[in-house]
Amino acid sequence: MMNLRFSHPYLKGKLRVASDKSISHRALMLGAYSKGKTEIHHLLQAKDITSTKEALQKAGAMITEDNGRIIVEGCNRQWKEEELFFDLGNSGTSARLLSGLFANTTKTYHFTGDESLQQRPMKRIIDPLEKMGVHFTTQNMKLPFAFSSMELQGMTYSLPVASAQVKSAILLAGLSAKGDTTVIETIPTRNHTEEMLPFFGGRVEVQEKEEHTEIQLVGNQELEGTELFVPADISSAAFFIVGAILTPKSDLYLMDLTKNKTRNGLVEVLLRMGAHLEWIPQENGLYQLHCQYSPNLKGTIVEGKEIPQLIDELPLLALVATQAEGKTIVRNAEELKVKESNRILSTATELKKLGAEIVVKEDGWEIAGDSLLHGGKVESHQDHRIAMMLMIAALLIPEPVFLTDEQAMEISYPSFMNNLQSVLYEEFMI
Ligand code: S3P
């Protein structure tokens, strides 16, 4: 248990937060599929990435560290020809994307995960991958499952759920399929797979039509190893963005971020609420985000196509909403129920223990603003993003906040506390 107590805290200085989790998973996976060597700089070091790394090693890729860089010797899409067992821990991205990447295995691959991952829906990847020729053995469309295939066939598939993990699983399977694969999405989701493939020589074309986006991938492709630099993770930066805008005197620069519109929903919504945030270009093509205390935030409505652009940041947005003037409504966010915890419930339950006024809806929340939060005992629900959101909430509260299961943050951000301490200042009142 962690005892958090701050006296007039504020965030100041410069910080490069942890590297991007989504990009780190994909860098390892595409490197493992490729022919030759991939060199990855700034790969995220966190439990979910270890799950992907160990699975790829088991399937035959050589992954080593050399002076801070990660070197992947790819298998040229020849995964190990034997029955294999994989434990993907807590990582939904590993389980779903690796099902697509390994879909061309002729031997049986068995997947399982921790208690939380075994609850998460897998029908969303099983259905399309079966259409492509993968044979799954599963009891309830969840983990554990096993799969193998004789031959994969490309297809055209319209995503029934706005999920980058489903889109990516299909594209990764499409790489070794006969014939081309097209994924159609009506609601844009994070686009890292299709953006990163060309770095490995992958042939993929993205067409933005009026009502939807089409991602067309050439079938039966070899990829070539490459060199990659992983930027900082906007979803990890989000904790510091919110910490800075909510604490008086804060003035913080977050470094090495990308300005990817499929990931920047939180910044867009906060700007609309009146936050003092500014993108500043860096010489290396990445951006700094300058974040300052923002005393006059206004409630807002977040819904529809905006939701996937900030899906992982919604628990933090709920915290911001408690401090804004007026009501905030979040709708169409039912996907939150099937994350590492049911985040509609875990967010509301824990913030209410600290004095927030939140009405839980089927697909989101109604959150009253202007709440004076108070101390209390809260829990992470074994969910990394809930643990870190609650630590940021504690910055707003003069009384102690006791947080249990805080080690959940190691899933995406083991250095969170160190990073927080490096920019945290307190004014001790006499
Ligand atoms: C991710 C996609 C999102 C996100 C997750 C990472 C990815 O999940 O919540 O943290 O890297 O593709 P969904 O695709 O299930 O929305």
Side-chain angles (χ1 to χ4, degrees), residues 21-22 26 93 96 124 162-165 190 311-312 339:
K21 181 157 82 72
S22 294
R26 289 159 172 83
T93 310
R96 297 199 178 109
R124 53 183 62 194
S163 163
Q165 292 182 355
R190 67 189 66 194
I311 187 74
D312 291 341
K339 295 293 177 189

Side-chain angles (χ1 to χ4, degrees), residues 211-430:
E211 295 291 327
H212 66 267
T213 304
E214 279 182 31
I215 303 118
Q216 295 170 352
L217 179 95
V218 173
N220 203 7
Q221 298 195 43
E222 270 190 358
L223 300 179
E224 286 285 340
T226 187
E227 185 180 12
L228 288 175
F229 292 78
V230 183
D233 194 326
I234 188 74
S235 299
S236 295
F239 301 102
F240 294 90
I241 298 172
V242 168
I245 65 170
L246 295 182
T247 51
K249 288 183 62 167
S250 283
D251 192 352
L252 185 67
Y253 291 85
L254 298 168
M255 320 290 292
D256 279 359
L257 294 165
T258 53
K259 226 169 119 181
N260 176 330
K261 69 177 189 320
T262 66
R263 293 289 300 280
N264 281 341
L266 180 74
V267 174
E268 293 300 314
V269 171
L270 294 178
L271 285 169
R272 180 160 91 221
M273 293 174 82
H276 300 315
L277 298 173
E278 191 193 356
W279 290 108
I280 304 171
Q282 296 177 181
E283 275 176 9
N284 60 1
L286 298 174
Y287 289 81
Q288 299 181 22
L289 188 66
H290 184 199
C291 315
Q292 288 175 294
Y293 174 53
S294 310
N296 298 313
L297 297 170
K298 305 265 186 298
T300 187
I301 298 177
V302 186
E303 61 187 345
K305 289 193 174 177
E306 209 160 39
I307 295 292
Q309 328 294 322
L310 79 164
I311 187 74
D312 291 341
E313 290 68 71
L314 285 170
L316 273 167
L317 182 74
L319 172 64
V320 176
T322 67
Q323 304 303 301
E325 186 195 317
K327 200 178 357 180
T328 292
I329 297 175
V330 175
R331 289 191 196 110
N332 312 128
E334 47 280 275
E335 273 296 300
L336 284 180
K337 290 188 197 163
V338 291
K339 295 293 177 189
E340 287 82 331
S341 68
N342 176 338
R343 287 184 180 157
I344 293 191
L345 286 184
S346 50
T347 301
T349 308
E350 300 312 313
L351 285 177
K352 278 184 186 175
K353 289 180 188 166
L354 301 176
E357 282 178 56
I358 305 184
V359 180
V360 169
K361 300 280 178 183
E362 205 28 51
D363 61 348
W365 310 287
E366 272 185 34
I367 306 163
D370 294 316
S371 286
L372 191 62
L373 300 183
H374 56 67
K377 195 172 160 198
V378 287
E379 52 184 292
S380 73
H381 297 242
Q382 310 279 3
D383 182 333
H384 54 128
R385 299 204 195 277
I386 301 297
M388 293 184 278
M389 180 275 286
L390 292 168
M391 289 191 210
I392 297 301
L395 295 176
L396 314 180
I397 298 172
E399 302 95 41
V401 173
F402 296 97
L403 171 65
T404 53
D405 289 331
E406 75 281 0
Q407 75 289 347
M409 67 187 158
E410 288 169 11
I411 288 297
S412 63
Y413 201 169
S415 57
F416 176 75
M417 279 314 281
N418 281 343
N419 280 183
L420 180 59
Q421 270 153 12
S422 73
V423 291
L424 180 69
Y425 295 80
E426 290 182 77
E427 237 176 61
F428 294 96
M429 307 298 279
I430 302 168

